[in-house]
Amino acid sequence: MLITACGNTSAPTASVGAISPSGAKIGYVNSDSLFENFKMIKDLEEDLIAEKLQMQNQFQVEYQKLEKDYMDAQKGASQLSQEALGILQRRLAQREQGLCQMQQQMESQLMQSEGKKNDEYLKVIREYLDNYGAENGYQIIYSYNGVGNVLYIDSAYDITNLVVVGLNKTYESTQETAEAE
């Protein structure tokens, strides 16, 4: 559960959310909707897919080379001495082992990249909510998805759309700035 006191000068302001009986201004963000509609997450997912495809293609090229070399070795095996055949088999086995290591390294790289991308967008969301909450007078902003710690909350507290719109505006402006440089 994300509980944050927040404030952002670039956030859209509106009188959404509600005052609790204790007088605290409370809002919630539907995390499923946020993750589905925040453009940065979609862009990072596309980057990860592209990374994965590039690695798969690279692996596939190496695998096909090895497969061809195995076939060539089988065709020419009858013309080789026992010693030469043994050396060839060891080399091919070493390459196959290297290919397995390459695949493991690529999987590890992808996991690290995914973790880094997750950390990146979660940091942006946290910073945005810190600013948004402070600017709009929220003492608490919950994350809600219907199956976590908060099983029900009145929709009067829902600030999801405002947060998504604000996050996307902020993200798009940083993209425009990055493209201009």
Side-chain angles (χ1 to χ4, degrees):
M1 175 168 42
L2 176 67
I3 302 176
T4 301
C6 320
N8 181 345
T9 57
S10 65
T13 59
S15 182
V16 177
I19 305 297
S20 72
S22 68
K25 189 171 180 184
I26 297 174
Y28 76 86
V29 174
N30 183 310
S31 57
D32 293 339
S33 295
L34 175 64
F35 294 144
E36 185 177 319
N37 296 305
F38 184 22
K39 292 176 184 176
M40 180 183 191
I41 293 173
K42 290 178 183 180
D43 289 349
L44 291 174
E45 286 173 348
E46 288 174 10
D47 291 349
L48 193 62
I49 289 169
E51 232 177 288
K52 183 177 181 178
L53 286 173
Q54 178 192 10
M55 287 183 185
Q56 285 175 336
N57 290 339
Q58 182 182 355
F59 179 81
Q60 192 63 32
V61 165
E62 294 302 318
Y63 179 81
Q64 287 171 348
K65 285 180 188 176
L66 179 62
E67 200 172 53
K68 181 186 178 303
D69 290 347
Y70 262 116
M71 287 181 186
D72 291 346
Q74 286 177 343
K75 287 178 188 174
S78 61
Q79 299 171 2
L80 296 175
S81 68
Q82 287 291 0
E83 184 179 336
L85 187 59
I87 291 170
L88 180 60
Q89 287 174 338
R90 282 192 296 278
R91 285 184 184 159
L92 290 172
Q94 287 173 343
R95 284 183 52 205
E96 185 176 10
Q97 186 177 21
L99 204 55
C100 289
Q101 289 173 344
M102 177 187 189
Q103 185 177 26
Q104 290 172 348
Q105 287 173 339
M106 287 177 168
E107 289 171 359
S108 177
Q109 280 179 309
L110 279 173
M111 288 176 57
Q112 288 176 354
S113 182
E114 183 178 18
K116 185 177 178 182
K117 288 176 186 344
N118 289 345
D119 289 346
E120 185 179 342
Y121 76 73
L122 288 172
K123 179 181 178 200
V124 168
I125 291 170
R126 275 191 298 273
E127 288 174 354
Y128 180 83
L129 286 173
D130 284 344
N131 293 329
Y132 181 86
E135 181 180 290
N136 293 286
Y138 286 92
Q139 283 74 42
I140 299 173
I141 297 179
Y142 289 98
S143 172
Y144 173 73
N145 68 7
V147 294
N149 293 333
V150 178
L151 298 177
Y152 171 78
I153 192 165
D154 189 310
S155 62
Y157 293 93
D158 188 358
I159 60 171
T160 305
N161 289 335
L162 291 171
V163 169
V164 169
V165 167
L167 276 166
N168 284 333
K169 276 186 180 178
T170 302
Y171 176 64
E172 288 169 356
S173 70
T174 60
Q175 293 301 101
E176 290 169 4
T177 302
E179 289 173 6
E181 293 174 356

